[in-house]
Amino acid sequence: MTDIFSAVDGYIEGLFAKEDEALAAAVADMKAAGMPGISVSPVLGRLLFVLARAVRARRILEIGTLGGYSAIWLGRALPEDGGMITLEVDPRHAAVARKNLVRAGLSEAVEVREGAALDILPRLIDSGEPPFDFIFIDADKEPYLDYFELSLQLSKPGTMIVADNVIRHGAVIDPARAENPAVAGVKRLSDALAAHPAVDATTIQTVGVKSHDGLALAVVREGR
């Protein structure tokens, strides 16, 4: 089935998510820098763009920049007066991301902040950072629930929080892999979202060039 999933992804990409020069160059730069090929696919990038547009996001937060590929998709969803902060722990990755954002014409709209997200997020909260309209979590999986809880403090009613890679090729239902730190991390998040009083949430499976995975989607409730 993997071949048909990839073929259909190509069909969707051809219709809605064709890579332009900036996106293609970002992929090439990441590869040249020896970075892992774990960026979102073009189809998922387009989905993030549409979701951010759907909630009319003026302020976006991304946890996990890598080389800036998803930041380009999300940055393009912003209105002219919008802004985005993306967090990256690895200075080498952050440097590549900044270069890619400059090429895409987004260096003024998208700020790359270096450091561990578990250090930066509390500082944003303590400094009174205004709430974000859209938050994308795509970093190390073990602390996913921590990222979500901190993100919630940087949200407002109607904020959409999206977390990537929460199905792990089906490992989330495989008892033999339950102790894997990444699997355990995304399961903790999913279990919390299913019962969390502050959000309406669900998970969707995704298939395509990235094989079998999924997204958790949560919208912050009124009166939380």
Side-chain angles (χ1 to χ4, degrees):
M1 291 296 290
T2 302
D3 289 344
I4 189 64
F5 293 158
S6 295
V8 172
D9 235 27
Y11 166 74
I12 298 170
E13 180 180 341
L15 287 173
F16 301 107
K18 293 177 182 177
E19 289 185 333
D20 61 10
E21 181 180 350
L23 287 166
V27 173
D29 280 0
M30 287 186 283
K31 185 175 181 179
M35 297 169 65
I38 56 174
S39 295
V40 301
S41 68
V43 171
L44 180 52
R46 180 66 178 183
L47 175 60
L48 294 173
F49 172 91
V50 170
L51 291 174
R53 281 290 179 91
V55 299
R56 298 182 178 182
R58 291 185 62 256
R59 287 176 49 78
I60 296 175
L61 173 65
E62 179 182 50
I63 302 172
T65 312
L66 197 62
Y69 187 84
S70 54
I72 294 173
W73 279 106
L74 287 169
R76 288 174 171 176
L78 291 166
E80 288 188 6
D81 61 344
M84 175 176 169
I85 296 173
T86 180
L87 312 182
E88 176 53 48
V89 69
D90 190 321
R92 297 167 301 170
H93 295 175
V96 173
R98 290 191 181 99
K99 177 183 175 182
N100 289 330
L101 288 163
V102 168
R103 184 192 291 115
L106 291 167
S107 58
E108 295 297 319
V110 182
E111 177 187 359
V112 181
R113 295 196 185 181
E114 291 179 29
L118 292 179
D119 294 331
I120 297 175
L121 293 171
R123 291 201 296 268
L124 291 175
I125 295 166
D126 292 342
S127 68
E129 186 75 25
F132 294 92
D133 306 297
F134 188 92
I135 299 174
F136 180 47
I137 304 172
D138 189 14
D140 49 326
K141 311 310 172 192
E142 192 170 358
Y144 253 32
L145 181 55
D146 298 316
Y147 293 151
F148 168 76
E149 293 289 0
L150 290 165
S151 295
L152 198 56
Q153 296 182 62
L154 291 162
S155 303
K156 60 182 178 58
T159 294
M160 177 174 284
I161 302 173
V162 178
D164 197 13
N165 306 128
V166 298
I167 297 299
R168 314 297 300 170
H169 308 283
V172 290
I173 61 168
D174 182 357
R177 301 181 64 184
E179 300 303 317
N180 177 278
V183 174
V186 298
K187 287 187 69 176
R188 280 193 296 271
L189 172 64
S190 295
D191 290 345
L193 290 178
H196 207 293
V199 297
D200 294 308
T202 191
T203 295
I204 59 171
Q205 295 186 82
T206 58
V207 294
V209 296
K210 298 289 185 176
S211 188
H212 181 204
D213 216 318
L215 296 171
L217 298 93
V219 178
V220 179
R221 292 175 177 167
E222 297 282 346
R224 61 186 176 93

